[in-house]
Amino acid sequence: MTDLTALSYTAEHEWIAFDGDIATVGITDYAADKLGDVVFVELPAVGTAVTAGAVVGEIESTKSVGELFAPLTGEVVEVNDAVVDDPSSVNGGAFDAWLVKIRVDGTPDGLLDRDAYVALTGGDA
């Protein structure tokens, strides 16, 4: 089980786990639940430079299509091909089905801790 209090969050319902200058990014269970059954995931290629707040991918479900935003500025160093091959794995455990790993440039501003994220979702996270 992932320690949810050790993660950072964004208002776009992404979670971030930092390990030095590498940030592992995924969508939260709350986001996965709101999307419904995920049927397609498009992720940026390894080596792609990403800018915080820019669209870097897409998550499609039976209900809607959602954009994946880069929560950080840096370079994509790894993508989770297993999620691309089996998008439904996001619904099976969003905190285990990470999407990308980014080598970050500096410390990002505006990230939420677990309490702030729970408050953002009205206690549903």
Side-chain angles (χ1 to χ4, degrees), residues 31-119:
D33 182 57
K34 294 298 180 192
L35 280 170
D37 294 331
V38 176
V39 296
F40 176 78
V41 175
E42 178 181 79
L43 300 173
V46 170
T48 301
V50 296
T51 303
V55 175
V56 295
E58 186 175 283
I59 299 178
E60 185 176 330
S61 72
T62 55
K63 291 183 183 180
S64 67
V65 175
E67 295 176 322
L68 176 64
F69 295 91
L72 312 159
T73 297
E75 179 185 345
V76 176
V77 295
E78 190 175 347
V79 297
N80 190 345
D81 290 325
V83 169
V84 174
D85 293 341
D86 181 13
S88 66
S89 64
V90 171
N91 298 109
F95 291 104
D96 296 320
W98 60 274
L99 301 175
V100 296
K101 293 186 181 189
I102 300 170
R103 178 170 287 113
V104 297
D105 297 335
T107 305
D109 293 326
L111 297 179
L112 307 171
D113 65 12
R114 181 67 185 168
D115 290 339
Y117 183 70
V118 169

Side-chain angles (χ1 to χ4, degrees), residues 16-28:
I16 305 164
F18 290 98
D19 183 10
D21 67 344
I22 302 296
T24 302
V25 179
I27 66 168
T28 64

